[in-house]
Amino acid sequence: QVQLVESGGGSVQSGGSLRLSCAVSGYTGSFNCMGWFRQAPGKERERVAAIDGVGKSIIARSVKDRFIVSRDNTNNALYLQMNSLKPEDTAIYYCAAGPTWQYYSDGFYCGANGAYWGPGTQVTVSS
């Protein structure tokens, strides 16, 4: 059974940094797409970043130049380095991994079809 588990969330002041990790178990292959989404209270889920198996990545415009996505194919892990955090970054962050990419208005991110999701980790940024 494939499972994804996020870690590294927490509370931080504006301007601070956090590094999220996503550990994958129950899967020995390499996912075509791994990525991060987030959902703030009362808002729809939004894409944050995605990365393919050779390290090509996309970062959403709202977090570009502040967030960095990376993956470790050997350990089947995904990371999100978040710098210069702002209160508007407060959300539950979800890790996703799957076989497809889906086109959004600003580029391709991990598709929901056939994807596995983690339970999420809370990130709270105070001003």
Side-chain angles (χ1 to χ4, degrees):
Q1 182 179 358
V2 179
Q3 288 188 324
L4 278 63
V5 178
E6 304 92 343
S7 62
S11 297
V12 64
Q13 288 191 327
S14 182
S17 298
L18 286 173
R19 186 177 190 241
L20 304 184
S21 299
C22 174
V24 179
S25 61
Y27 187 76
T28 57
S30 178
F31 287 108
N32 191 19
C33 184
M34 297 186 77
W36 293 95
F37 293 78
R38 68 185 183 184
Q39 187 165 18
K43 294 188 177 181
E44 292 187 353
R45 185 179 66 192
E46 67 170 325
R47 54 207 177 272
V48 176
I51 185 168
D52 68 9
V54 295
K56 185 177 179 181
S57 64
I58 183 169
I59 302 289
R61 197 170 299 135
S62 60
V63 300
K64 199 173 180 62
D65 298 328
R66 299 188 296 119
F67 289 12
I68 301 170
V69 62
S70 60
R71 65 188 279 179
D72 180 347
N73 290 330
T74 300
N75 295 306
N76 233 348
L78 178 71
Y79 306 98
L80 185 68
Q81 177 66 43
M82 305 187 297
N83 301 318
S84 301
L85 283 161
K86 303 175 181 180
E88 51 263 43
D89 295 319
T90 295
I92 299 175
Y93 284 71
Y94 298 93
C95 169
T100 65
W101 291 75
Q102 179 176 343
Y103 181 74
Y104 292 84
S105 60
D106 61 333
F108 285 90
Y109 294 81
C110 294
N113 190 24
Y116 297 93
W117 294 83
T121 186
Q122 177 71 47
V123 171
T124 303
V125 185
S126 58
S127 57

